[in-house]
Amino acid sequence: MSIEIRDGGLSTTVQDTGRFGQYHIGMPPSGAMDGFAHDVANALVGNPEGAATLECTYQGPTVEFRDSRVIAVTGPDMSPELNGEPIPLWEAVAVEAGDELAFGFATEGTRTYLAVSGGVDVPEIMGSRSTYTLIGLGGHEGRALEAGDSLALGESGDRSGRAGSAVEGSHRPSYGEDDPIRIVMGLCDYRLTEECKSAFLDAEWKVGAEADRVGYRLTDGIDIEFVEREQPFGAGPDPSNVVDLGYPVGSIQVPDEPIVVMRDAVTGGGYATVATVISPDRDRLAQRPTHGTVSFESVTVEEALAAREERSERLATIRKALE
Amino acid sequence: MPAETIGRTELTDVRYEHGGDDHVFVELAEEMSFDANFRAMAITQQIRERNLDGINEICPANASYLIQFDPETLHPDALIEELRELEESVELTDYRWDTRVIEIPVLYEDPWTEEALMDFRERHQDPDSTDLEYSARINGYESVEAFIEAHSGQPHMVTMMGFVPGLPFAFQMVPRDRQIEVPKYVAPRTHTPSRAIGYGGAFTAIYPVPGAGGYQLFGRTPVEVLDVEQELPGFEESLVFLDPGDIIKFRQIDREEYDAIRERVEAGTYEYTYEQTEFVPGEFFERPYEYNRELVEALE
C-alpha cells in the first residue's frame, strides 16, 4: 500500500540511516540529518532501525493514508493534525485509510520526522533509500516530494496495539536550546593562529542563509587568521587553501566564513578543515534554523566518545521502554 | 634544463588527526607529490585488504586519506596505531597496480565554458583575459596554443575522487618544474557547465554536473564521468566512470568532432577509448616521458 502526497511542504525527502561505502567516489552518506529523532520515530512504530522515514524541513507535507498504519512524528513541533485534530509528537498514533495528516511550520528547530509502520519503501540504491538531491539519486525520484507523488510502504501487519505508546518527556530533546555544539579541534587546525583558535571558540555565530543538507555556513563570528607560510606546492595561493583532501561529515572548513559539512556533504576539496562536530551534536546542529545561534566547545576525543555512548544508551533505553 | 625524472619526496611529517569521534584523517604531506599520493593509495589499499571490522569508508585523497568508522567496534587510537604500522611497512618500490589509460576528448576554448567564465569575470584575478590566456601567461607559455599543447600533451593521473560523485582530481605526470599551477577564482562562480574541464592548484577537474566552482575553465568534454541511471556503456559496474589511479590522456578535438561524439553519448552508443595496464611507480619515477609514451601508445 501507499501514502499519497497532497502537498510536499517546504522540502520533504525520504531518508534512512545513510548510504555508506562510497565516500571515496564522492558519494556522501545522506540520511536523516537528526538521526536521533529519526531512530526514535522508527522505534515508536516498531520499524527496524534502517527503515526510511520522511524528513520534513521547516514546514511539513500533507499526506493521505491508504490503509491502516501506525505513525509517529518526532523532532520539532510542526503542529501535526490528523483530519484537522492535533496529534501528539513522540507518540505512536493509529491511522486509517482516507485519513489526512497535515503539518504547519516549526517554531523551534528545523527538521521533523514522520515514520509509518512498514517504512517508506522506495528502491534501495547502494544499500540505502536516502534521497541525495544534488545528483537526483535515491528517495522518490531523487528529489523532494511534490503534490501528486505516491510512496509505497513496506509490509507492517497489524501494529495498532502500539498506538498510544510514547517516549518519556525526559528523553525528548529541546529544540529551542542554544547550548554549545561540541567539536574536536584538529585536521588542519595547524593553519590557524593560537589567538584565532581561542577566538573561534569564544565567538557566537549565526546560521547563514546558505544552510541546507550539504552544509551550514556560519556568519557574524570572527575573521579567520591563518599562520603565515609559503603555500605548499599544489595547494593554491590563498592562505585558506590546502592540497585537496577529504572532508569528514561534521567537519568545519574555513574558506572565509566557516562551513560545517552535513549529511549531503561535498566529500572533499581544497579548503583547510579545522575541527569536527562530534557525532551526537550533528543531530543538534541540524536542528538550528537559519539565523539561529551557534557557539562551539572544544572537547577531547575521549569526551566525544563518552557523549556518543550516552546518545546510544539513551536510544537503547527508549527502544527498551517501547518493546 | 628541465628535469627528466620525477623528483622523489620524503614524507617526514605525517599527521594523524581525529575527525570527531568517528573519523581519522591522515595528512601524509602538506604539499602535493606523487610519493604522497602513491603512499595514500597503497596504504588505503592495504587497509581495504585487511578488512577491519567497524570501518565504513576508506578515502584516498591527493596527499592524505580519510577513514570513517564505528568507534564502538574499533577504537580510534587502535586504528591510528594500525595506520602507523602500515605507514612504516609500505614500500612504494615494491608496489604496482592495475589501472586504465583512458582517452578523454576535450574541446578547449569551447563556447559554453567561455560564456560561463565571461559571466563571472569580476570574480577573476585578471578580468581582461580569458582563463586560458591568464593560465598560459602565469605559467610562462608564449601562447594559449602552446599551453593547451602542454596540458594535453602528457597524461594525468587521477589522484583523488570527490567533491561530488564522479569528479576526478588529476595530477599531470611530469616533473614538478613542468607542472601547471594556477590559483582558483578569487570568489567561486555560482555556475559551471557540466563536463567542464577546470584547473585549480596543480589539478585538473572534470565537473560531472552543473554547479558552483572555483577552478579556471579550459574546455569541455562531450563524454560523461557520472551516469546516475547507469545506462551508458562504461557505467555497468559503477555510476562513476573514473577511479583513483586511472590515467587520463586528454585529446584536443574540434567542434565538429565534439558534436559527433556528443551525439553518440546521447544515443548511448559512445564507447570510451581505454586500455588496461599495470602501473609501475618505480619505472615512472625513473623515466617519466618514455614511460608516458608507452602508456599512451597503448591507446592507438
Side-chain angles (χ1 to χ4, degrees):
Chain A
M1 290 303 278
S2 63
I3 51 175
E4 309 299 315
I5 307 300
R6 298 288 174 231
D7 181 320
L10 202 58
S11 177
T12 305
T13 54
V14 178
Q15 300 294 346
D16 60 15
T17 48
R19 182 175 287 115
F20 290 92
Q22 306 294 330
Y23 212 74
H24 64 284
I25 64 164
M27 180 76 70
S30 302
M33 291 273 279
D34 180 348
F36 181 86
H38 163 88
D39 286 1
V40 173
N42 272 329
L44 278 162
V45 302
N47 283 347
E49 269 176 67
T53 65
L54 297 187
E55 179 179 278
C56 318
T57 316
Y58 292 112
Q59 184 201 8
T62 302
V63 306
E64 187 184 319
F65 299 93
R66 282 297 168 86
D67 63 351
S68 301
R69 297 277 166 171
V70 175
I71 64 166
V73 179
T74 61
D77 191 352
M78 292 184 183
S79 313
E81 291 185 353
L82 190 66
N83 303 324
E85 293 295 319
I87 59 164
L89 279 81
W90 305 96
E91 183 171 326
V93 174
V95 298
E96 303 294 332
D99 282 356
E100 189 178 84
L101 177 68
F103 291 88
F105 286 93
T107 50
E108 287 178 334
T110 62
R111 290 176 173 83
T112 297
Y113 293 84
L114 167 64
V116 182
S117 58
V120 177
D121 191 21
V122 294
E124 273 193 26
I125 297 187
M126 297 180 195
S128 168
R129 296 185 169 88
S130 291
T131 314
Y132 176 39
T133 56
L134 189 78
I135 62 164
L137 180 109
H140 180 72
E141 299 180 357
R143 58 167 172 79
L145 300 178
E146 294 168 3
D149 289 340
S150 177
L151 299 178
L153 297 175
E155 282 303 315
S156 81
D158 181 10
R159 294 193 203 154
S160 55
R162 301 193 74 88
S165 54
V167 175
E168 243 181 73
S170 61
H171 288 310
R172 302 179 190 183
S174 144
Y175 294 103
E177 53 107 9
D178 56 3
D179 294 341
I181 299 289
R182 291 165 291 183
I183 60 177
V184 175
M185 296 295 288
L187 306 174
C188 302
D189 72 339
Y190 61 83
R191 291 296 301 120
L192 303 181
T193 63
E194 289 305 317
E195 299 75 41
C196 177
K197 280 186 210 171
S198 46
F200 184 90
L201 294 167
D202 290 339
E204 189 167 278
W205 304 85
K206 294 267 178 252
V207 177
E210 292 168 53
D212 56 19
R213 291 184 47 87
V214 177
Y216 269 41
R217 183 183 280 271
L218 303 177
T219 65
D220 298 293
I222 57 153
D223 289 334
I224 300 295
E225 278 176 33
F226 294 96
V227 173
E228 279 185 37
R229 69 168 176 179
E230 188 184 327
Q231 282 293 95
F233 177 74
D238 194 87
S240 67
N241 292 162
V242 292
V243 169
D244 300 72
L245 42 75
Y247 294 150
V249 170
S251 65
I252 305 174
Q253 56 184 272
V254 285
D256 43 41
E257 290 172 330
I259 297 171
V260 190
V261 166
M262 306 296 268
R263 296 291 296 226
D264 286 358
V266 286
T267 63
Y271 290 115
T273 46
V274 298
T276 311
V277 174
I278 68 170
S279 60
D281 285 11
R282 291 171 208 156
D283 296 343
R284 293 176 50 222
L285 182 61
Q287 293 293 0
R288 297 284 166 94
T290 295
H291 308 307
T293 307
V294 174
S295 62
F296 294 112
E297 178 189 348
S298 170
V299 297
T300 64
V301 173
E302 289 308 323
E303 288 166 332
L305 290 170
R308 180 185 175 101
E309 201 179 321
E310 194 185 307
R311 176 189 185 276
S312 306
E313 280 170 5
R314 188 168 0 145
L315 271 171
T317 308
I318 292 170
R319 283 203 185 94
K320 194 145 192 285
L322 292 172
E323 267 169 14
Chain B
M1 200 39 205
E4 291 300 320
T5 61
I6 302 291
R8 300 299 301 273
T9 310
E10 213 176 318
L11 310 176
T12 51
D13 188 20
V14 178
R15 287 192 179 96
Y16 293 84
E17 295 281 336
H18 293 279
D21 46 306
D22 60 348
H23 295 82
V24 166
F25 168 72
V26 182
E27 189 177 52
L28 295 166
E30 289 180 33
E31 66 169 20
M32 182 58 186
S33 65
F34 283 106
D35 269 286
N37 182 253
F38 293 171
R39 290 191 79 77
M41 289 208 257
I43 293 167
T44 49
Q45 187 177 316
Q46 295 277 322
I47 303 164
R48 228 172 254 291
E49 283 168 12
R50 290 196 183 184
N51 213 2
L52 298 176
D53 278 349
I55 292 189
N56 300 318
E57 305 281 4
I58 302 170
C59 312
N62 290 319
S64 61
Y65 62 93
L66 177 68
I67 294 180
Q68 196 273 333
F69 56 95
D70 296 327
E72 294 81 11
T73 313
L74 181 60
H75 193 281
D77 292 337
L79 174 60
I80 289 178
E81 198 172 316
E82 183 103 10
L83 299 176
R84 281 184 196 276
E85 273 171 38
L86 266 178
E87 159 62 21
E88 278 170 27
S89 69
V90 165
E91 269 302 330
L92 280 188
T93 42
D94 308 337
Y95 195 71
R96 46 187 58 205
W97 65 85
D98 291 329
T99 184
R100 300 177 298 178
V101 186
I102 301 161
E103 180 183 285
I104 302 279
V106 180
L107 177 60
Y108 288 89
E109 301 187 278
D110 68 290
W112 305 280
T113 60
E114 294 228 328
E115 190 186 345
L117 69 89
M118 293 319 286
D119 282 348
F120 294 99
R121 223 59 217 133
E122 77 289 355
R123 302 187 183 205
H124 194 270
Q125 287 82 359
D126 182 356
D128 297 328
S129 305
T130 65
D131 290 9
L132 272 167
E133 286 166 353
Y134 168 76
S135 301
R137 190 175 67 242
I138 65 165
N139 281 280
Y141 288 88
E142 61 194 20
S143 66
V144 165
E145 290 69 32
F147 180 77
I148 291 172
E149 198 56 50
H151 184 257
S152 61
Q154 294 293 325
H156 302 246
M157 181 169 283
V158 177
T159 49
M160 170 174 172
M161 296 287 294
F163 186 64
V164 295
L167 186 147
F169 292 85
F171 189 55
Q172 196 166 26
M173 296 167 67
V174 293
R176 179 167 301 182
D177 61 2
R178 303 306 301 156
Q179 287 276 355
I180 296 163
E181 210 184 359
V182 298
K184 293 154 200 167
Y185 272 44
V186 177
R189 295 174 304 272
T190 52
H191 174 68
T192 308
S194 60
R195 297 177 275 108
I197 306 294
Y199 207 101
F203 301 98
T204 302
I206 307 173
Y207 288 84
V209 286
Y215 276 29
Q216 308 283 336
L217 295 175
F218 290 176
R220 195 180 196 198
T221 175
V223 307
E224 302 287 349
V225 291
L226 170 74
D227 175 21
V228 175
E229 307 299 330
Q230 289 185 251
E231 284 166 352
L232 299 175
F235 294 89
E236 293 81 2
E237 285 168 29
S238 171
L239 75 176
V240 306
F241 183 65
L242 295 164
D243 288 312
D246 279 342
I247 294 162
I248 297 174
K249 174 67 173 69
F250 293 112
R251 181 169 68 86
Q252 292 182 59
I253 56 171
D254 59 18
R255 178 64 191 268
E256 196 181 339
E257 190 173 1
Y258 177 97
D259 289 340
I261 294 175
R262 189 65 201 150
E263 207 168 292
R264 279 153 60 206
V265 171
E266 284 175 5
T269 58
Y270 177 80
E271 303 269 355
Y272 292 84
T273 302
Y274 72 91
E275 278 300 324
Q276 298 282 177
T277 185
E278 186 180 54
F279 182 75
V280 185
E283 291 193 31
F284 165 68
F285 284 130
E286 281 301 304
R287 46 181 193 94
Y289 289 105
E290 207 180 320
Y291 192 73
N292 289 349
R293 195 177 321 119
E294 291 162 16
L295 286 173
V296 172
E297 269 169 8
L299 288 174
E300 286 160 9

